[in-house]
């Protein structure tokens, strides 16, 4: 089932088309000239909004991609002349050059482990470097004076207005459709919780780079049309000031709305054209004060504040609940195929400077085994989990998953080897609904769609059992942020099981759950190990729960394995009782299922 378009957007689109068609007869020549520019600026502002408002990447570099498109037209038309062939060459060359630069910027900004601040710093440097290249180009680029007077496309201003306005309408519609698609939902998940996405097998660095590359091409197209219309290019088009203005327009209009940046850009740029000549300094002061006011009082921008006020007193719109369906088991092929040995850990150590958290940890885990890791706080259990699921974590030693050495692979590559990890603290997507979170978890196995959003999520039997047991199937339209702690724990476990792993790492999966829910979860884990031959590695402080479900127990103390044996051996171990400071910390031998 795919969501139907909002009727309000359809009415708004019809009104926009009518205004665009009638604009040449309603507006004076000066306003038409200004609106051509404003519409092209608004196209670029939409790309800033998609990156900042939806993907969480604050960027000042979109002006550079706009400038590359503009200078491709200016350079080709100045030095090679104008014709249909050279125009097509300039357009395609500008877009290709812009996308190549964006790919380089993405590689520098979004490498595994990079912070959003680093990406913003790179985007700050980009326009500075671009303008310096233009300045050093001499007569070829026009240096600080730019290029002007070249021959270009000879059409009426009204036609240019229809062309630029049509591009803005198409870009707006495409952006609205994109953010409501499966891929748009995925981008929102990356913004909400990139670490969780990495452990769901998603290459977030690649996703953000592809988004930046695609949007850079749109900016270059707008820049090409701007230069072809105005027959002038200048370094300011690719500069830091223009990049900052784009951010301000998006912030004032309302980031994360698509329509807000469009209205903000059109209003501010058109107002600047009329008022900056008469009040040059006052107008900039007004814009600065308005920007500070909106950031402090209405941090989401003007459009969300206005819409919220209009909806005040009305019933809040509810999201469609969606539907969960059973998924056909995915065949284990390639890197995710089941190896002879599920997990092999040899001489693993982890050091933080001179502090040794893990020392010479070695053990094997087999398919069909439910292995519990126990030990007092600070024993190194969670650190060991991190080392198993992220090849970059350990200081030394080797780890193999399904007979594949993980080397220094990042988490999303380890997921491809058949592993799934649940965190100690519930780690979900607070800004998404339960259904959307489960859909994101299935992305690696169910290819997301670029222009549509499906409300049917196919879950394997194990994940479906968790959702139904804990009542999450009745909360599909509920935002994750309002779930209880126990519900978030259950949701994260269901998300991990949605990956269909054959090695399952669980860090306290029953924390916050009621006793019946813990019993259901335990039965599910035992069934996963026995019926599906899944290797389950469990960290749990509820030792009664451990004794009920485990086939084997490893005791960690001060970063070392002090005991590796059956439940009965652990229960009767004097060493383990001493570690836990008294026999009362462990179940009595008579209570052991052994």
């Amino acid at each position: 089932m795919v969501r139907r378009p909002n009727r309000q957007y359809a009415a708004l689109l019809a009104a926009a088309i009518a205004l665009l068609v009638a604009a040449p007869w309603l507006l004076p020549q000066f306003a038409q000239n200004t609106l051509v520019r404003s519409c092209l600026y608004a196209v670029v502002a939409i790309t800033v909004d998609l990156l900042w408002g939806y993907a969480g990447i604050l960027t000042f570099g979109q002006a550079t991609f706009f400038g590359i498109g503009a200078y491709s037209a200016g350079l080709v038309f100045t030095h090679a002349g104008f014709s249909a062939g050279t125009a097509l060459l300039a357009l395609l060359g500008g877009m290709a050059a812009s996308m190549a630069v964006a790919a380089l910027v993405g590689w520098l900004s979004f490498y595994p482990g990079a912070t959003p601040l680093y990406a913003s710093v790179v985007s700050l440097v980009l326009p500075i470097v671009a303008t310096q290249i233009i300045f050093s180009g001499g007569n070829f680029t026009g240096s600080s004076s730019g290029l002007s007077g070249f021959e270009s496309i000879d059409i009426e201003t009204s036609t240019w207005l229809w062309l630029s306005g049509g591009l803005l309408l198409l870009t707006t519609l495409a952006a609205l459709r994109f953010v409501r698609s499966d891929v748009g939902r995925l981008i929102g998940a990356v913004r909400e919780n990139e670490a969780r996405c990495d452990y769901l097998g998603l290459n977030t660095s690649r996703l953000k780079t592809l988004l930046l590359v695609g949007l850079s091409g749109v900016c270059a197209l707008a820049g090409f049309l701007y230069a072809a219309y105005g027959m002038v290019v200048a370094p300011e088009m690719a500069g830091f000031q223009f990049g900052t203005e784009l951010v301000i327009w998006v912030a004032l209009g309302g980031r994360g709305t698509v329509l807000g940046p469009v209205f903000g850009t059109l209003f501010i740029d058109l107002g600047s054209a009329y008022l900056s000549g008469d009040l040059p300094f006052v107008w900039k002061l007004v814009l600065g004060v308005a920007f500070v006011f909106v950031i402090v009082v209405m941090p989401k921008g003007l459009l969300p504040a206005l819409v919220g006020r209009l909806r005040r007193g009305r019933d809040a719109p509810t999201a469609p609940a969606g539907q969960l369906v059973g998924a056909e088991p995915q065949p284990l092929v390639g890197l995710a195929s089941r190896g002879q040995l599920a997990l092999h850990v040899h001489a693993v150590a982890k050091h933080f400077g001179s502090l040794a958290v893990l020392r010479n940890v070695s053990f094997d885990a087999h398919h069909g085994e439910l292995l519990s890791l126990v030990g007092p706080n600070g024993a190194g259990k969670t650190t060991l989990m991190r080392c198993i699921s992220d090849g970059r974590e350990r200081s030394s030693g080797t780890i193999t998953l399904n007979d594949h050495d993980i080397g220094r692979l990042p988490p999303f590559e380890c997921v491809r080897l058949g592993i799934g990890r649940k965190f100690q603290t519930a780690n979900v997507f607070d800004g998404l609904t339960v259904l959307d979170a489960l859909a994101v978890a299935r992305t690696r196995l169910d290819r997301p769609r670029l222009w549509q959003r499906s409300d049917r999520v196919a879950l394997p039997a194990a994940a479906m059992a968790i959702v139904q047991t804990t009542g999450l199937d009745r909360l599909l339209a509920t935002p994750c942020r309002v779930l209880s702690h126990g519900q978030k724990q259950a949701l994260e476990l269901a998300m991990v099981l949605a990956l269909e792993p054959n090695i399952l790492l669980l860090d306290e999966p029953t924390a916050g759950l009621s006793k019946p829910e813990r019993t259901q979860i335990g039965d599910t884990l035992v069934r996963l190990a026995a019926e599906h031959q899944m290797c389950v590695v469990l960290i749990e402080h509820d030792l009664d729960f451990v004794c009920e479900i485990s086939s084997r127990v490893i005791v960690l103390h001060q970063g070392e394995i002090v005991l590796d044996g059956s439940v009965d051996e652990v229960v009767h171990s004097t060493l383990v009782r001493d570690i836990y400071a008294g026999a009362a910390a462990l179940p009595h031998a008579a209570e052991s299922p052994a």
Side-chain angles (χ1 to χ4, degrees):
M1 181 178 66
V2 179
R3 295 173 182 171
R4 296 178 180 177
N6 193 310
R7 292 182 179 179
Q8 294 178 344
Y9 286 120
L12 187 61
L13 173 63
I17 293 175
L19 286 174
L20 178 62
V21 172
W25 291 278
L26 298 176
L27 299 175
Q29 187 70 22
F30 178 77
Q32 293 183 49
N33 287 330
T34 304
L35 274 177
V36 172
R37 180 188 68 187
S38 301
C39 287
L40 296 176
Y41 283 174
V43 170
V44 185
I46 290 174
T47 69
V48 175
D49 187 41
L50 291 177
L51 287 168
W52 185 24
Y54 288 93
I57 306 167
L58 176 59
T59 176
F60 300 88
Q62 297 305 98
T64 299
F65 304 130
F66 178 86
I68 290 175
Y71 264 88
S72 68
L75 290 172
V76 171
F77 295 166
T78 297
H79 300 291
F82 173 78
S83 67
T86 55
L88 181 61
L89 175 64
L91 174 60
L92 297 180
M95 294 180 68
S98 179
M99 295 170 78
V101 172
L104 176 61
V105 171
W107 179 71
L108 293 173
S109 302
F110 307 130
Y111 63 87
T115 64
L117 177 61
Y118 185 76
S120 297
V121 171
V122 172
S123 74
L124 280 171
V125 174
L126 180 63
I128 297 173
V129 173
T131 52
Q132 290 303 313
I133 292 175
I134 295 172
F135 289 153
S136 62
N139 292 331
F140 183 72
T141 61
S143 190
S144 59
S145 300
L147 300 171
S148 62
F150 47 80
E151 186 180 358
S152 182
I153 304 172
D154 186 15
I155 55 178
E156 296 292 332
T157 302
S158 59
T159 306
W160 275 111
L161 180 57
W162 287 332
L163 182 61
S164 60
L167 176 63
L168 176 59
L169 282 177
L170 288 176
T171 305
T172 304
L173 289 175
L176 289 171
R177 192 68 177 266
F178 175 75
V179 299
R180 288 165 174 79
S181 69
D182 291 340
V183 176
R185 172 167 55 192
L186 182 59
I187 290 173
V190 173
R191 178 199 65 220
E192 290 287 330
N193 194 336
E194 186 171 352
R196 178 71 267 178
C197 288
D198 287 335
Y199 282 93
L200 292 176
L202 305 177
N203 188 342
T204 57
S205 298
R206 181 184 179 186
L207 178 65
K208 291 187 289 187
T209 300
L210 289 176
L211 178 65
L212 180 64
V213 169
L215 294 179
S216 71
V218 176
C219 293
L221 172 60
F224 170 86
L225 292 176
Y226 183 92
Y229 166 70
M231 292 177 287
V232 59
V233 292
E236 292 77 13
M237 292 180 180
F240 172 72
Q241 180 177 343
F242 181 39
T244 304
E245 288 176 343
L246 288 168
V247 172
I248 293 175
W249 296 341
V250 170
L252 288 174
R255 64 186 178 101
T257 62
V258 176
L259 294 179
V262 172
F263 292 139
T265 303
L266 294 178
F267 173 77
I268 294 174
D269 190 58
L270 190 61
S272 297
Y274 277 96
L275 298 177
S276 61
D278 297 329
L279 304 169
F281 301 107
V282 176
W283 174 245
K284 288 185 179 294
L285 177 62
V286 170
L287 281 181
V289 171
F291 178 70
V292 173
F293 176 81
V294 169
I295 292 299
V296 173
V297 179
M298 295 176 288
K300 292 184 179 181
L302 292 172
L303 184 63
L306 178 62
V307 171
R309 183 173 293 275
L310 292 176
R311 285 180 176 174
R312 187 172 297 172
R314 303 181 185 178
D315 293 334
T318 57
Q323 183 180 5
L324 298 178
V325 297
E328 293 293 331
Q330 297 287 335
L332 296 174
V333 295
L335 291 179
S337 60
R338 184 172 281 133
Q340 293 183 353
L341 186 63
L343 173 63
H344 173 66
V345 178
H346 176 69
V348 168
K350 175 65 176 179
H351 303 277
F352 293 98
S354 60
L355 176 64
V357 181
L358 294 175
R359 293 186 294 272
N360 195 33
V361 174
S362 300
F363 66 91
D364 293 337
H366 303 272
H367 297 291
E369 184 175 29
L370 205 161
L371 172 64
S372 291
L373 299 176
V374 301
N377 291 332
K381 303 183 296 297
T382 299
T383 300
L384 179 58
M385 285 282 198
R386 289 202 302 268
C387 292
I388 294 173
S389 56
D390 186 347
R392 303 165 301 180
E393 283 286 337
R394 69 189 185 282
S395 302
S396 62
T398 59
I399 295 175
T400 62
L401 305 175
N402 288 306
D403 301 334
H404 292 277
D405 190 339
I406 69 172
R408 293 296 172 183
L409 293 179
F412 75 89
E413 293 284 4
C414 292
V415 171
R416 293 179 60 225
L417 299 177
I419 198 169
R421 180 190 172 193
K422 183 202 168 298
F423 290 86
Q424 183 176 15
T425 303
N427 198 338
V428 294
F429 304 104
D430 287 345
L432 302 186
T433 65
V434 171
L435 181 79
D436 288 340
L438 293 171
V440 170
R442 288 290 293 178
T443 298
R444 195 180 71 87
L445 299 175
D446 296 337
R447 187 179 183 87
R449 293 183 291 184
L450 185 60
W451 302 112
Q452 291 181 322
R453 174 178 292 194
S454 174
D455 287 328
R456 291 172 60 92
V457 179
L459 292 181
M464 186 73 79
I466 297 296
V467 170
Q468 293 173 342
T469 297
T470 56
L472 289 174
D473 57 333
R474 300 186 296 272
L475 302 172
L476 297 180
T478 303
C480 296
R481 64 177 175 271
V482 303
L483 297 178
S484 67
H485 174 71
Q487 289 170 332
K488 289 182 179 180
Q489 291 277 48
L491 175 59
E492 187 186 16
L493 178 56
M495 290 164 56
V496 174
L497 291 174
L499 293 170
E500 300 185 28
N502 55 58
I503 305 170
L504 189 60
L505 304 182
L506 303 175
D507 200 341
E508 300 186 42
T510 63
L513 300 184
S514 65
K515 186 174 181 178
E517 290 172 338
R518 288 201 302 269
T519 301
Q520 292 284 350
I521 297 279
D523 292 342
T524 300
L525 296 180
V526 171
R527 190 164 56 252
L528 288 174
E531 297 179 5
H532 300 278
Q533 288 298 292
M534 185 179 295
C535 174
V536 181
V537 182
L538 173 75
I539 294 177
E540 185 58 67
H541 285 293
D542 186 343
L543 296 177
D544 289 310
F545 180 75
V546 168
C547 291
E548 290 173 2
I549 69 172
S550 301
S551 56
R552 180 169 144 230
V553 180
I554 290 178
V555 182
L556 279 174
H557 182 53
Q558 295 182 352
E560 296 180 305
I561 294 178
V562 296
L563 182 61
D564 182 349
S566 66
V567 171
D568 191 57
E569 290 173 332
V570 172
V571 167
H572 290 88
S573 171
T574 303
L575 174 61
V576 174
R577 292 176 181 274
D578 291 339
I579 290 174
Y580 276 91
L586 283 174
H588 192 273
E591 299 174 354
S592 170

PDB file of all heavy atoms in Angstrom, residues 424-439:
ATOM      1  N   GLN A 424      23.426  -2.273  24.360  1.00  0.00           N
ATOM      2  CA  GLN A 424      23.092  -2.368  25.783  1.00  0.00           C
ATOM      3  C   GLN A 424      21.933  -1.442  26.134  1.00  0.00           C
ATOM      4  O   GLN A 424      20.992  -1.829  26.817  1.00  0.00           O
ATOM      5  CB  GLN A 424      24.315  -2.031  26.627  1.00  0.00           C
ATOM      6  CG  GLN A 424      24.098  -2.168  28.124  1.00  0.00           C
ATOM      7  CD  GLN A 424      25.380  -1.910  28.913  1.00  0.00           C
ATOM      8  OE1 GLN A 424      26.344  -1.371  28.381  1.00  0.00           O
ATOM      9  NE2 GLN A 424      25.384  -2.307  30.168  1.00  0.00           N
ATOM     10  N   THR A 425      22.001  -0.206  25.662  1.00  0.00           N
ATOM     11  CA  THR A 425      20.910   0.744  25.822  1.00  0.00           C
ATOM     12  C   THR A 425      20.089   0.744  24.544  1.00  0.00           C
ATOM     13  O   THR A 425      20.658   0.744  23.450  1.00  0.00           O
ATOM     14  CB  THR A 425      21.444   2.155  26.102  1.00  0.00           C
ATOM     15  OG1 THR A 425      22.272   2.127  27.266  1.00  0.00           O
ATOM     16  CG2 THR A 425      20.304   3.142  26.301  1.00  0.00           C
ATOM     17  N   ALA A 426      18.772   0.720  24.681  1.00  0.00           N
ATOM     18  CA  ALA A 426      17.903   0.658  23.506  1.00  0.00           C
ATOM     19  C   ALA A 426      18.298   1.733  22.500  1.00  0.00           C
ATOM     20  O   ALA A 426      18.341   2.924  22.828  1.00  0.00           O
ATOM     21  CB  ALA A 426      16.448   0.834  23.929  1.00  0.00           C
ATOM     22  N   ASN A 427      18.582   1.330  21.279  1.00  0.00           N
ATOM     23  CA  ASN A 427      19.119   2.212  20.257  1.00  0.00           C
ATOM     24  C   ASN A 427      18.212   2.145  19.035  1.00  0.00           C
ATOM     25  O   ASN A 427      18.376   1.284  18.178  1.00  0.00           O
ATOM     26  CB  ASN A 427      20.550   1.780  19.908  1.00  0.00           C
ATOM     27  CG  ASN A 427      21.323   2.873  19.207  1.00  0.00           C
ATOM     28  OD1 ASN A 427      20.749   3.777  18.623  1.00  0.00           O
ATOM     29  ND2 ASN A 427      22.639   2.781  19.253  1.00  0.00           N
ATOM     30  N   VAL A 428      17.230   3.066  18.982  1.00  0.00           N
ATOM     31  CA  VAL A 428      16.272   3.065  17.889  1.00  0.00           C
ATOM     32  C   VAL A 428      16.269   4.449  17.235  1.00  0.00           C
ATOM     33  O   VAL A 428      17.181   5.243  17.447  1.00  0.00           O
ATOM     34  CB  VAL A 428      14.864   2.677  18.394  1.00  0.00           C
ATOM     35  CG1 VAL A 428      14.851   1.229  18.873  1.00  0.00           C
ATOM     36  CG2 VAL A 428      14.396   3.599  19.524  1.00  0.00           C
ATOM     37  N   PHE A 429      15.237   4.748  16.442  1.00  0.00           N
ATOM     38  CA  PHE A 429      15.138   6.023  15.733  1.00  0.00           C
ATOM     39  C   PHE A 429      13.998   6.837  16.341  1.00  0.00           C
ATOM     40  O   PHE A 429      12.829   6.616  16.015  1.00  0.00           O
ATOM     41  CB  PHE A 429      14.888   5.787  14.245  1.00  0.00           C
ATOM     42  CG  PHE A 429      15.910   4.911  13.580  1.00  0.00           C
ATOM     43  CD1 PHE A 429      15.607   3.591  13.282  1.00  0.00           C
ATOM     44  CD2 PHE A 429      17.167   5.393  13.273  1.00  0.00           C
ATOM     45  CE1 PHE A 429      16.541   2.772  12.667  1.00  0.00           C
ATOM     46  CE2 PHE A 429      18.108   4.582  12.662  1.00  0.00           C
ATOM     47  CZ  PHE A 429      17.801   3.265  12.361  1.00  0.00           C
ATOM     48  N   ASP A 430      14.342   7.776  17.208  1.00  0.00           N
ATOM     49  CA  ASP A 430      13.317   8.506  17.950  1.00  0.00           C
ATOM     50  C   ASP A 430      12.378   9.292  17.042  1.00  0.00           C
ATOM     51  O   ASP A 430      11.208   9.482  17.374  1.00  0.00           O
ATOM     52  CB  ASP A 430      13.964   9.451  18.960  1.00  0.00           C
ATOM     53  CG  ASP A 430      14.549   8.706  20.151  1.00  0.00           C
ATOM     54  OD1 ASP A 430      14.205   7.520  20.332  1.00  0.00           O
ATOM     55  OD2 ASP A 430      15.362   9.296  20.885  1.00  0.00           O
ATOM     56  N   GLY A 431      12.865   9.772  15.913  1.00  0.00           N
ATOM     57  CA  GLY A 431      12.037  10.580  15.031  1.00  0.00           C
ATOM     58  C   GLY A 431      11.186   9.790  14.066  1.00  0.00           C
ATOM     59  O   GLY A 431      10.383  10.379  13.324  1.00  0.00           O
ATOM     60  N   LEU A 432      11.318   8.464  14.036  1.00  0.00           N
ATOM     61  CA  LEU A 432      10.546   7.629  13.120  1.00  0.00           C
ATOM     62  C   LEU A 432       9.450   6.894  13.887  1.00  0.00           C
ATOM     63  O   LEU A 432       9.494   6.760  15.105  1.00  0.00           O
ATOM     64  CB  LEU A 432      11.455   6.610  12.430  1.00  0.00           C
ATOM     65  CG  LEU A 432      12.639   7.144  11.618  1.00  0.00           C
ATOM     66  CD1 LEU A 432      13.329   5.989  10.901  1.00  0.00           C
ATOM     67  CD2 LEU A 432      12.205   8.207  10.622  1.00  0.00           C
ATOM     68  N   THR A 433       8.476   6.391  13.145  1.00  0.00           N
ATOM     69  CA  THR A 433       7.460   5.536  13.744  1.00  0.00           C
ATOM     70  C   THR A 433       8.003   4.112  13.868  1.00  0.00           C
ATOM     71  O   THR A 433       9.047   3.770  13.301  1.00  0.00           O
ATOM     72  CB  THR A 433       6.186   5.523  12.896  1.00  0.00           C
ATOM     73  OG1 THR A 433       6.485   4.922  11.619  1.00  0.00           O
ATOM     74  CG2 THR A 433       5.650   6.925  12.685  1.00  0.00           C
ATOM     75  N   VAL A 434       7.265   3.286  14.592  1.00  0.00           N
ATOM     76  CA  VAL A 434       7.670   1.889  14.754  1.00  0.00           C
ATOM     77  C   VAL A 434       7.751   1.202  13.395  1.00  0.00           C
ATOM     78  O   VAL A 434       8.708   0.473  13.106  1.00  0.00           O
ATOM     79  CB  VAL A 434       6.680   1.157  15.682  1.00  0.00           C
ATOM     80  CG1 VAL A 434       6.942  -0.342  15.691  1.00  0.00           C
ATOM     81  CG2 VAL A 434       6.765   1.714  17.093  1.00  0.00           C
ATOM     82  N   LEU A 435       6.751   1.436  12.543  1.00  0.00           N
ATOM     83  CA  LEU A 435       6.752   0.815  11.220  1.00  0.00           C
ATOM     84  C   LEU A 435       7.959   1.265  10.398  1.00  0.00           C
ATOM     85  O   LEU A 435       8.624   0.450   9.746  1.00  0.00           O
ATOM     86  CB  LEU A 435       5.457   1.158  10.485  1.00  0.00           C
ATOM     87  CG  LEU A 435       5.355   0.537   9.094  1.00  0.00           C
ATOM     88  CD1 LEU A 435       4.946  -0.923   9.186  1.00  0.00           C
ATOM     89  CD2 LEU A 435       4.375   1.307   8.210  1.00  0.00           C
ATOM     90  N   ASP A 436       8.248   2.568  10.432  1.00  0.00           N
ATOM     91  CA  ASP A 436       9.378   3.084   9.662  1.00  0.00           C
ATOM     92  C   ASP A 436      10.700   2.511  10.165  1.00  0.00           C
ATOM     93  O   ASP A 436      11.597   2.212   9.378  1.00  0.00           O
ATOM     94  CB  ASP A 436       9.405   4.611   9.724  1.00  0.00           C
ATOM     95  CG  ASP A 436       8.298   5.251   8.900  1.00  0.00           C
ATOM     96  OD1 ASP A 436       7.761   4.572   8.015  1.00  0.00           O
ATOM     97  OD2 ASP A 436       7.961   6.424   9.160  1.00  0.00           O
ATOM     98  N   ALA A 437      10.829   2.360  11.478  1.00  0.00           N
ATOM     99  CA  ALA A 437      12.056   1.785  12.034  1.00  0.00           C
ATOM    100  C   ALA A 437      12.249   0.352  11.555  1.00  0.00           C
ATOM    101  O   ALA A 437      13.361  -0.060  11.199  1.00  0.00           O
ATOM    102  CB  ALA A 437      12.007   1.841  13.558  1.00  0.00           C
ATOM    103  N   LEU A 438      11.181  -0.416  11.517  1.00  0.00           N
ATOM    104  CA  LEU A 438      11.270  -1.793  11.036  1.00  0.00           C
ATOM    105  C   LEU A 438      11.562  -1.825   9.532  1.00  0.00           C
ATOM    106  O   LEU A 438      12.306  -2.693   9.052  1.00  0.00           O
ATOM    107  CB  LEU A 438       9.969  -2.535  11.340  1.00  0.00           C
ATOM    108  CG  LEU A 438       9.679  -2.778  12.832  1.00  0.00           C
ATOM    109  CD1 LEU A 438       8.267  -3.315  13.014  1.00  0.00           C
ATOM    110  CD2 LEU A 438      10.696  -3.739  13.428  1.00  0.00           C
ATOM    111  N   ALA A 439      11.001  -0.871   8.797  1.00  0.00           N
ATOM    112  CA  ALA A 439      11.272  -0.806   7.364  1.00  0.00           C
ATOM    113  C   ALA A 439      12.742  -0.491   7.094  1.00  0.00           C
ATOM    114  O   ALA A 439      13.358  -1.056   6.189  1.00  0.00           O
ATOM    115  CB  ALA A 439      10.376   0.250   6.710  1.00  0.00           C
TER     116      ALA A 439
END
